[in-house]
């Protein structure tokens, strides 16, 4: 019996989650339904009444469309208003793509964004979760929601997320410390006008079952409440014994929806009870290159997880977003987040098959013993909290003949975490490469205080930016931020010696400058330079083995990593802004970069002799409507990453950088050809995702190769005013992909062929 076939425990909490999900109402509320319930009667003298917007009882709902992502508004006050106005690549995964592809987690959504790879959790610090690399640069801890830090390391469900945005390249002028290769921002679903109720129920192979509900209730003109609920139980297609069970609730109260002062109060809770998958070991081939052992004949469903392994987490987050229009030219906003998180984590880590005896036995069909990697695997308990407040003023005014959009403010954030390294009792290694045992044979974990450590970080940032409109066609962007960053550490590391409180400070400026030329009303060219810094200690919630080389040290001169972006691009809209295109040429220079060894320890630290990375490339994207019934969403990137400033690896290719990447998804509404639109909309869609082979994350020696990734996907749906049905097929060819990797040690096989059926109700 597969592990995910077991009843989900505890039953009481499952029942509560289901009740909350059902009582929350229903998801994917359509804008047309909002318009139907909102009473905005035009004045008698209004000459701009649009009769097509009037809804008639019994009329079918208009078909959902993939938007032109250039026109998507960014809900991050200190950045430009929209993707089109931002002189930098921003990839957006919009709600319609999330809906059509039935995307449930952040990593699934980001499969639509080229140039992103994942790292398998390193060492005993437990980085398993959402650990991304953007353009080959580490983006650990660079995940935000509505522009505020999303504290904690965990697998993120997007049941209450409207859009996912990836800001490519350093963005320290807006977000402060870190953000070397870019960052990921999720836009929360918020209370809005109208009343809508929706529920979706999905079923799939690998025992997948998911319920998702969304209700929006408007009390009066200015107050509305939106509640989302979710329950998810699923295995991983093509992988034995691993599963992911999650449930959560989110509520957003909107006040002053039509006034000069608006306030949103958002509460989120997500619980996870999963079996982590650290994949399979690498094997050294005859060419001397390491490859995942499943690519050399091992059954792809082989897992080494054991019954004592677990990933149990609870994330609570409270967010306040206040915005007030003080006058016609000045707006004041204040955004605050408080997060409390706890994670109990244990995973078994397989080692590589690298000895001559192991290789010869396996290649001849034998079943050699498999040792543990990284000291046996991750085992820890973390308890932490984080808080952030951003106060910002936005002024619009003229100086001489120039229009100014000035933004200034202060960003303060703090994070504190206690981490207890687990101690195994009665654990033995009787694993073999083939047919491994999943029983822990009575082994158990304790988290003694003697293994506890504490780390914290605080950052105070002052920022200022101005968008100056010189002429109708020409504009300048300038932004600068000063950060006073401090991190501390105290407690027990991997030895029994108590480390007294250690502290590290770093004060840096993060500048950015851009010039934008609007050749036509629908097309603009830009050139951008930006710089970000990443001091030691920014990754409090994803500390590795907590050794001296990865934590602050009194008197040590750890130089922050620095990342510089040079980018030239164009963003153009077609067909009255229904279709958007973007192209950009970029180069990122990073110095003082570092990496982790098999135990998860920093090897090069933050000294000037760091590895150094240079990534250059080109990226193209296209989204929106080609014809009335044909929508498209796609992106391609070519990247070349090189290691610099380190004689040992100088000239090698950067790990985690795939040269060629593309993602394409296209949908077509067949209704006009076969049916009366009043009866509903029949839609077909399909696409593919591809990434060429790359050197495993952390492999600066270029000895561990991950094969190319490919997934062919499809969808068919029928949607009426109140009902919707869809069927998705993913990885139709059942190609052996790899979800993440780490050096020459291991790689995690991705999901095999999967199917999802969904039934939805809206009223």
């Amino acid at each position: 019996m597969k592990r995910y076939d077991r009843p989900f425990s505890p039953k009481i909490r499952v029942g509560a989650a289901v009740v909350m999900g059902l009582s929350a109402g229903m998801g994917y509320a359509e804008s047309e339904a909002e318009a139907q319930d909102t009473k905005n009667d035009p004045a008698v003298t209004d000459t701009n009444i649009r009769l097509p917007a009037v809804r008639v009882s019994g009329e079918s709902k208009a078909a959902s469309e993939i938007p032109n992502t250039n026109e998507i508004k960014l809900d991050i006050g200190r950045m430009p208003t929209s993707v089109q106005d931002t002189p930098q690549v921003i990839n957006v995964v919009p709600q319609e793509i999330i809906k059509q592809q039935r995307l449930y987690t952040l990593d699934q959504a980001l499969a639509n964004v080229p140039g992103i790879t994942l790292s398998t959790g390193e060492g005993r610090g437990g980085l398993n979760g959402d650990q991304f690399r953007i353009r080959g640069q580490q983006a650990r801890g660079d995940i935000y929601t509505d522009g505020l830090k999303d504290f904690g390391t965990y697998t993120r469900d997007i049941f209450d997320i409207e859009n996912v945005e990836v800001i490519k390249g350093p963005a320290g002028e807006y977000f402060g410390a870190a953000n070397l290769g870019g960052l990921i921002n999720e836009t929360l679903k918020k209370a809005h006008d109208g009343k809508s109720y929706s529920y979706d129920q999905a079923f799939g192979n690998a025992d997948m079952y998911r319920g998702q509900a969304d209700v929006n209730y408007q009390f009066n003109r200015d107050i509305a409440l939106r509640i989302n609920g979710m329950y998810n139980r699923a295995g991983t297609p093509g992988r034995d014994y691993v599963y992911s069970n999650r449930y959560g609730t989110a509520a957003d109260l909107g006040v002053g929806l039509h006034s000069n002062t608006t306030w949103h109060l958002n509460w989120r809770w997500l619980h996870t009870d999963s079996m982590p998958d650290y994949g399979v070991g690498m094997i050294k081939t005859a060419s001397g290159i390491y490859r995942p052992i499943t690519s050399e004949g091992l059954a792809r469903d082989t897992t080494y997880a054991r019954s004592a392994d677990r990933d149990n987490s609870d994330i609570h987050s409270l967010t306040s977003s206040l915005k007030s229009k003080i006058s016609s030219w000045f707006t004041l906003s204040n955004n605050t987040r408080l997060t409390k998180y706890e994670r109990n984590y244990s995973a078994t880590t397989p080692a590589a098959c690298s000895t001559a005896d192991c290789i010869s036995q396996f290649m001849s069909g034998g079943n050699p013993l498999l040792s543990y990697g990284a000291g046996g695997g991750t085992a820890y308990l973390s308890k932490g909290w984080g808080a952030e407040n951003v106060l910002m003023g936005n002024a619009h005014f003229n100086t001489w003949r120039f229009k100014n959009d000035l933004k200034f403010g202060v960003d303060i954030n703090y994070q504190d975490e206690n981490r207890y390294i687990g101690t195994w009792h009665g654990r033995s290694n009787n694993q073999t490469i083939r047919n491994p045992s999943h029983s822990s044979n009575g082994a158990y974990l304790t988290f003694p205080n003697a293994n506890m450590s504490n780390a914290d970080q605080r950052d105070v940032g002052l920022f200022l930016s101005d968008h100056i409109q010189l002429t109708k066609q020409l504009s300048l962007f300038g932004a600068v931020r000063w950060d006073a960053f401090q991190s501390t550490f105290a407690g027990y590391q991997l030895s029994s010696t108590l480390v007294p409180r250690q502290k590290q400070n770093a004060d840096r400026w993060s500048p950015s400058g851009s010039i934008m030329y609007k050749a036509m009303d629908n097309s603009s060219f830009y050139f951008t330079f930006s710089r970000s810094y990443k001091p030691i200690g920014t990754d409090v919630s994803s500390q590795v083995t907590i050794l001296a080389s990865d934590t602050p040290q009194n008197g040590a001169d750890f130089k922050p990593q620095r990342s510089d972006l040079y980018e030239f691009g164009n963003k153009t809209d077609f067909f009255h802004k229904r279709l958007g295109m973007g192209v950009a040429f970029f180069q990122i220079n990073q110095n003082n970069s570092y990496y982790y060894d098999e135990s998860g320890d920093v090897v090069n630290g933050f000294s000037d002799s760091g590895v150094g990375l240079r990534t250059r490339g080109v990226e193209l994207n296209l989204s929106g409507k080609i014809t009335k019934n044909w929508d498209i969403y796609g992106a391609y990137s070519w990247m070349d990453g090189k290691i610099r400033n380190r004689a040992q690896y100088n000239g090698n290719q950067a790990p985690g950088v795939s040269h060629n990447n593309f993602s394409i998804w296209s949908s077509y509404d067949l209704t006009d050809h076969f049916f009366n639109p009043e009866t509903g909309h029949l839609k077909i869609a399909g696409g593919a995702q591809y990434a060429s082979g790359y050197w495993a994350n952390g492999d600066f020696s270029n000895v561990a190769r991950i094969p190319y990734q490919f997934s062919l996907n499809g969808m068919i749906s029928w949607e009426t005013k109140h009902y919707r049905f869809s069927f998705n097929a993913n990885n139709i060819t059942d190609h052996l992909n790899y979800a993440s990797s780490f050096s020459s040690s291991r790689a995690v096989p991705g999901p095999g062929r999967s199917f999802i059926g969904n039934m939805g109700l809206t009223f």
Side-chain angles (χ1 to χ4, degrees):
M1 181 175 71
K2 293 179 182 284
R3 177 65 179 265
Y4 53 75
D5 290 331
R6 300 190 319 169
F8 182 34
S9 176
K11 296 181 179 178
I12 294 177
R13 288 194 290 181
V14 171
V18 174
V19 170
M20 284 187 293
L22 292 173
S23 64
M26 316 298 178
Y28 300 126
E30 303 293 339
S31 59
E32 292 81 3
E34 301 164 17
Q36 184 178 5
D37 291 321
T38 305
K39 299 185 183 300
N40 292 322
D41 296 329
V44 175
T45 57
D46 190 348
T47 60
N48 295 318
I49 300 175
R50 296 182 178 181
L51 293 179
V54 178
R55 299 298 305 276
V56 180
S57 178
E59 179 188 353
S60 68
K61 180 170 66 71
S64 301
E65 300 176 349
I66 296 175
N68 169 8
T69 58
N70 281 347
E71 299 303 313
I72 285 182
K73 304 299 182 182
L74 299 175
D75 199 8
I76 307 173
R78 50 199 189 275
M79 291 191 67
T81 305
S82 68
V83 174
Q84 176 72 268
D85 296 331
T86 306
Q88 198 166 336
V89 170
I90 300 181
N91 300 111
V92 180
V93 184
Q95 179 62 210
E96 184 61 19
I97 290 294
I98 294 174
K99 173 184 171 182
Q100 288 188 18
Q101 296 184 1
R102 293 294 154 192
L103 305 174
Y104 301 136
T105 59
L106 180 60
D107 63 310
Q108 290 176 348
L110 293 179
N112 289 282
V113 180
I116 294 182
T117 56
L118 274 74
S119 293
T120 307
E122 298 107 331
R124 292 173 56 181
L127 298 188
N128 189 275
D130 291 337
Q131 297 297 329
F132 303 101
R133 284 183 178 271
I134 302 175
R135 292 176 173 172
Q137 316 287 333
Q138 182 62 256
R140 198 176 68 198
D142 297 332
I143 301 177
Y144 295 74
T145 54
D146 285 350
L148 297 174
K149 283 181 174 293
D150 190 354
F151 298 99
T153 300
Y154 60 100
T155 298
R156 290 162 170 82
D157 196 292
I158 57 174
F159 72 100
D160 64 334
I161 299 301
E162 196 72 38
N163 303 318
V164 175
E165 300 109 14
V166 181
I167 301 168
K168 297 284 186 68
E173 72 276 21
Y174 298 121
F175 297 92
N179 312 305
L180 296 177
L183 60 93
I184 298 157
N185 182 72
E186 302 171 302
T187 299
L188 294 171
K189 292 180 179 178
K190 297 180 177 63
H192 53 73
D193 286 340
K195 299 176 183 178
S196 60
Y197 311 85
S198 182
Y199 181 78
D200 278 271
Q201 184 63 61
F203 302 89
N205 59 329
D207 202 31
M208 195 278 280
Y209 174 92
R210 181 183 176 93
Q212 186 167 321
D214 186 351
V215 59
N216 188 86
Y217 187 86
Q218 186 173 10
F219 296 96
N220 55 44
R221 174 179 169 81
D222 282 325
I223 300 177
L225 176 67
R226 188 172 185 178
I227 301 176
N228 284 268
M230 173 276 301
Y231 169 72
N232 187 96
R233 172 189 172 124
T236 301
R239 299 291 289 156
D240 188 18
Y241 204 67
V242 297
Y243 62 88
S244 181
N245 297 329
R246 302 181 301 276
Y247 48 90
T249 303
D252 186 88
L253 175 66
V255 179
L257 299 181
H258 296 278
S259 68
N260 287 334
T261 300
T262 60
W263 180 53
H264 283 269
L265 182 64
N266 185 284
W267 170 74
R268 310 171 71 199
W269 167 61
L270 178 66
H271 176 82
T272 300
D273 179 8
S274 301
M275 175 62 70
D277 185 3
Y278 265 46
V280 299
M282 298 280 205
I283 188 170
K284 191 174 184 179
T285 63
S287 64
I289 298 298
Y290 287 82
R291 286 168 50 86
I293 200 167
T294 41
S295 293
E296 298 298 317
L298 181 68
R300 68 186 295 172
D301 64 352
T302 304
T303 57
Y304 301 96
R306 298 208 167 191
S307 56
D309 293 346
R310 84 293 298 261
D311 182 4
N312 299 328
S313 64
D314 277 287
I315 314 296
H316 298 268
S317 184
L318 185 67
T319 303
S320 169
S321 301
L322 180 67
K323 186 176 183 180
S324 181
K325 188 176 181 180
I326 307 298
S327 68
S328 60
W329 61 274
F330 185 72
T331 301
L332 185 68
S333 63
N334 191 84
N335 298 325
T336 306
R337 170 164 299 140
L338 176 64
T339 300
K340 181 179 180 294
Y341 59 89
E342 181 172 331
R343 193 182 195 196
N344 187 327
Y345 193 90
S346 170
T348 300
T349 305
C353 181
S354 56
T355 65
D357 183 56
C358 178
I359 296 170
S360 62
Q361 283 192 57
F362 178 80
M363 290 301 187
S364 62
N367 189 23
L369 292 174
L370 180 67
S371 61
Y372 287 143
T378 300
Y380 73 94
L381 171 66
S382 69
K383 298 181 179 181
W385 67 279
E388 183 174 13
N389 187 85
V390 179
L391 175 66
M392 188 193 77
N394 185 191
H396 299 270
F397 58 92
N398 293 337
T399 54
W400 297 286
R401 299 173 56 187
F402 306 142
K403 295 180 180 179
N404 291 262
D405 182 3
L406 182 69
K407 299 179 180 180
F408 57 93
V410 58
D411 178 358
I412 302 173
N413 66 77
Y414 177 82
Q415 187 175 0
D416 181 273
E417 180 178 303
N418 291 331
R419 174 161 298 198
Y420 304 81
I421 300 298
T423 299
W424 282 103
H425 301 272
R427 194 185 199 199
S428 61
N429 181 19
N430 59 352
Q431 293 280 30
T432 56
I433 289 183
R434 306 181 197 270
N435 306 316
S437 170
H438 298 299
S439 172
S440 293
N441 300 316
Y444 64 95
L445 269 172
T446 60
F447 300 99
N449 289 334
N451 286 2
M452 194 272 281
S453 62
N454 171 265
D456 68 6
Q457 64 89 13
R458 67 109 175 105
D459 186 20
V460 178
L462 304 177
F463 59 89
L464 173 70
S465 67
D466 195 7
H467 176 199
I468 306 173
Q469 193 75 42
L470 300 178
T471 67
K472 183 179 179 180
Q473 291 80 26
L474 185 63
S475 59
L476 300 177
F477 289 81
V480 65
R481 173 168 170 149
W482 175 79
D483 285 273
F485 182 86
Q486 182 183 92
S487 58
T488 74
F489 171 84
Y492 294 92
Q493 297 176 333
L494 292 186
S495 69
S496 58
T497 302
L498 175 65
V499 178
R501 181 68 59 181
Q502 305 290 301
K503 184 169 65 175
Q504 195 81 33
N505 293 308
D507 301 333
R508 290 292 189 277
W509 293 92
S510 297
S512 174
S514 306
I515 183 170
M516 179 177 286
Y517 181 74
K518 206 167 188 179
M520 297 174 287
D521 288 341
N522 63 336
S523 181
S524 59
F525 294 85
Y526 66 87
F527 175 79
T528 292
F529 166 80
S530 65
R531 172 173 293 176
S532 289
Y533 292 95
K534 184 172 184 176
I536 195 168
T538 57
D539 304 318
V540 169
S541 63
S542 50
Q543 293 274 1
V544 197
T545 36
I546 315 180
L547 290 182
S549 54
D550 192 37
T551 55
Q553 296 180 40
N554 292 336
D557 186 20
F558 285 138
K559 301 295 185 183
Q561 293 174 267
R562 192 187 78 196
S563 184
D564 293 340
L565 169 71
Y566 304 87
E567 181 172 313
F568 171 76
N570 169 264
K571 297 180 183 181
T572 301
D573 292 333
F574 302 95
F575 310 141
H576 302 286
K577 297 186 177 182
R578 293 193 300 269
L579 181 69
M581 182 186 71
V583 59
F585 300 86
F586 64 88
Q587 177 166 308
I588 299 177
N589 296 331
Q590 182 196 129
N591 65 6
N592 297 332
S593 66
Y594 61 97
Y595 71 103
Y596 301 93
D597 67 11
E598 171 64 13
S599 298
D601 309 327
V602 174
V603 174
N604 286 332
F606 286 76
S607 66
D608 288 334
S609 61
V611 174
L613 298 175
R614 186 225 65 206
T615 307
R616 61 171 55 139
V618 59
E619 184 161 332
L620 302 94
N621 58 76
L622 185 70
S623 62
K625 298 190 73 64
I626 298 177
T627 67
K628 173 187 174 183
N629 298 318
W630 182 15
D631 296 354
I632 192 168
Y633 176 85
Y636 166 81
S637 75
W638 175 86
M639 295 184 297
D640 179 57
K642 295 292 185 183
I643 299 173
R644 311 188 326 166
N645 306 328
R646 182 72 172 179
Q648 183 179 358
Y649 308 114
N650 196 41
N652 285 3
Q653 294 185 26
V657 176
S658 175
H659 286 309
N660 290 282
N661 307 253
F662 75 78
S663 174
I664 184 73
W665 181 264
S666 185
S667 64
Y668 192 86
D669 191 339
L670 297 167
T671 307
D672 289 347
H673 301 283
F674 299 102
F675 306 100
N676 187 328
E678 293 182 357
T679 64
H681 292 269
L682 176 65
K683 185 177 293 185
I684 58 171
Q689 296 158 354
Y690 170 84
S692 58
Y694 61 91
W695 299 107
N697 285 307
D699 174 29
F700 285 84
S701 299
N702 291 175
V703 297
R705 190 73 172 170
I706 302 299
Y708 78 91
Q709 314 294 296
F710 177 77
S711 182
L712 182 66
N713 312 309
M715 184 276 295
I716 183 170
S717 68
W718 173 260
E719 190 166 353
T720 68
K721 181 180 180 182
H722 294 299
Y723 306 98
R724 57 185 168 274
F725 304 91
S726 65
F727 179 79
N728 288 70
N730 298 319
N731 195 8
I732 296 172
T733 64
D734 203 28
H735 183 75
L736 177 55
N737 296 310
Y738 291 92
S740 61
S741 63
F742 178 62
S743 191
S744 59
S745 302
R746 55 193 176 272
V748 181
R753 184 185 296 115
S754 64
F755 305 99
I756 301 174
N758 186 85
M759 299 176 291
L761 173 67
T762 297
F763 56 95

